[in-house]
Amino acid sequence: MLYLIGVGLSNYDVTMEGLEACRRCKQLYAEAYTSNLTEEKLKDLSKILEKEIDQLGRTDLEENAKILINQAAKEDIGLLINGDPLIATTHKTLLMEASASGVGTKVIHSTSILSVSMGESGLDFYRIGPVCTIANWSEHYHPISFYETIKGNMDHNLHSIMLLDYDYERQSTMPIEKVAFILSEAEEHYKKKIISEDTKFLVLNNIGTENGKIKLYTFAKLKTAKIKGMNTIILLAKLSNLEEEWISKIEKA
Ligand SMILES: C[S@@+](CC[C@H](N)C(=O)[O-])C[C@H]1O[C@@H](n2cnc3c(N)ncnc32)[C@H](O)[C@@H]1O
């Protein structure tokens, strides 16, 4: 059996069911390339469980998934995933591949950046539109289709949650000033204007952990923001009175 076990955002978000599954598994792996599953968090878990946890890289999961699935055909193994296991396309693909090979699977959910960011931002979750990811640009890779999502959301007066690519080497999401640059370039490309210098963004930094912070930025300020760690950005549509009240508290804090 292949267990996908969500370990949530904070160091202590694994559910009782998750802990029980970890104990049952003959071998535990951790996926630390789509999100920040820190050494400290893994050490804590390993200590509680009195078990070793082996870290897997992108190729182990995406290209060599068959090796993992073959092992799960013979014994119970668990893959620890930051946040909720199913809020990442890679893990859905793995589940489907395992099922296609006749291997049993079980998903154990936990807190996710999606639920925590909606809750902590104080925004009405009915007013959050489709989510997008802003990928880190490299020399020959400039994806900007996310812009269609945020433009559609703005047209319907919905807020946009923008996840950012995780950079394993830096143990951090891509730099905020680069996000601002990509947003400007995307507007230029689509020849549209939904963002002005005064447009407001919430930056949720290491949210759901003991160092979590939320800060309001205008686009002008976002361009020079330097915020290390895990970041998610919300482009704000027009706020309701209640949302306005909550966000003004964030602003004062
Ligand atoms: C592919 S998503 C993985 C989501 C994860 N499986 C979950 O359910 O939370 C990874 C992105 O979520 C965002 N993220 C994850 N943890 C975060 C945190 N604690 N604070 C802010 N953003 C976070 C970052 O933008 C990061 O690159």
Side-chain angles (χ1 to χ4, degrees):
M1 172 88 99
L2 171 65
Y3 287 87
L4 297 196
I5 304 164
V7 296
L9 300 186
S10 88
N11 282 9
Y12 306 103
D13 277 353
V14 190
T15 61
M16 301 279 271
E17 194 187 4
L19 282 179
E20 213 179 282
C22 286
R23 293 205 169 97
R24 202 174 313 135
C25 285
K26 284 269 180 299
Q27 189 158 7
L28 288 177
Y29 296 103
E31 183 277 278
Y33 72 86
T34 62
S35 200
N36 187 15
L37 187 39
T38 60
E39 294 281 337
E40 187 201 348
K41 187 163 172 174
L42 285 177
K43 255 193 209 151
D44 277 0
L45 263 170
S46 181
K47 204 163 146 196
I48 293 168
L49 296 164
E50 296 177 353
K51 270 186 176 177
E52 294 284 313
I53 303 173
D54 296 324
Q55 290 216 33
L56 295 184
R58 186 181 282 276
T59 41
D60 295 318
L61 270 187
E62 292 184 349
E63 286 157 37
N64 304 326
K66 204 78 200 131
I67 299 174
L68 210 62
I69 293 169
N70 287 343
Q71 187 183 358
K74 295 186 209 118
E75 58 191 13
D76 287 345
I77 62 168
L79 179 62
L80 306 179
I81 296 157
N82 224 38
D84 187 279
L86 295 192
I87 308 296
T89 324
T90 310
H91 310 133
K92 288 191 183 150
T93 313
L94 179 66
L95 276 187
M96 287 191 284
E97 277 183 43
S99 298
S101 309
V103 172
T105 58
K106 183 159 172 63
V107 177
I108 299 169
H109 296 283
S110 186
T111 51
S112 167
I113 183 58
L114 288 189
S115 54
V116 176
S117 57
M118 283 188 208
E120 293 269 331
S121 64
L123 298 170
D124 182 350
F125 63 87
Y126 292 110
R127 299 198 54 229
I128 308 263
V131 176
C132 61
T133 294
I134 302 192
N136 205 355
W137 282 13
S138 56
E139 202 184 343
H140 302 294
Y141 182 60
H142 293 175
I144 48 169
S145 58
F146 74 87
Y147 189 81
E148 290 168 25
T149 307
I150 63 173
K151 168 81 172 65
N153 287 343
M154 275 307 216
D155 289 346
H156 292 95
N157 196 22
L158 297 172
H159 308 299
S160 301
I161 295 184
M162 296 181 275
L163 302 175
L164 309 179
D165 251 1
Y166 176 59
D167 181 341
Y168 181 74
E169 300 301 319
R170 297 171 62 241
Q171 301 274 290
S172 192
T173 42
M174 61 189 281
I176 301 292
E177 69 264 37
K178 185 153 182 195
V179 176
F181 169 77
I182 294 173
L183 283 167
S184 299
E185 290 289 303
E187 285 224 303
E188 189 75 25
H189 173 88
Y190 281 93
K191 309 224 177 306
K192 302 261 164 60
K193 200 78 197 147
I194 56 168
I195 299 169
S196 71
E197 293 295 284
D198 296 328
T199 302
K200 290 188 171 160
F201 293 82
L202 280 180
V203 177
L204 298 96
N205 173 245
N206 292 333
I207 210 73
T209 74
E210 57 184 16
N211 307 316
K213 284 187 223 80
I214 305 186
K215 208 170 159 198
L216 187 69
Y217 287 84
T218 59
F219 187 56
K221 289 263 162 66
L222 199 71
K223 288 180 193 168
T224 54
K226 300 231 179 312
I227 315 156
K228 286 208 178 107
M230 298 300 283
N231 292 303
T232 291
I233 299 182
I234 307 183
L235 166 59
L236 298 177
K238 194 169 166 5
L239 297 174
S240 69
N241 290 344
L242 196 61
E243 289 174 331
E244 188 104 47
E245 211 178 300
W246 185 290
I247 303 253
S248 74
K249 281 200 189 119
I250 291 177
E251 220 172 349
K252 280 180 198 137

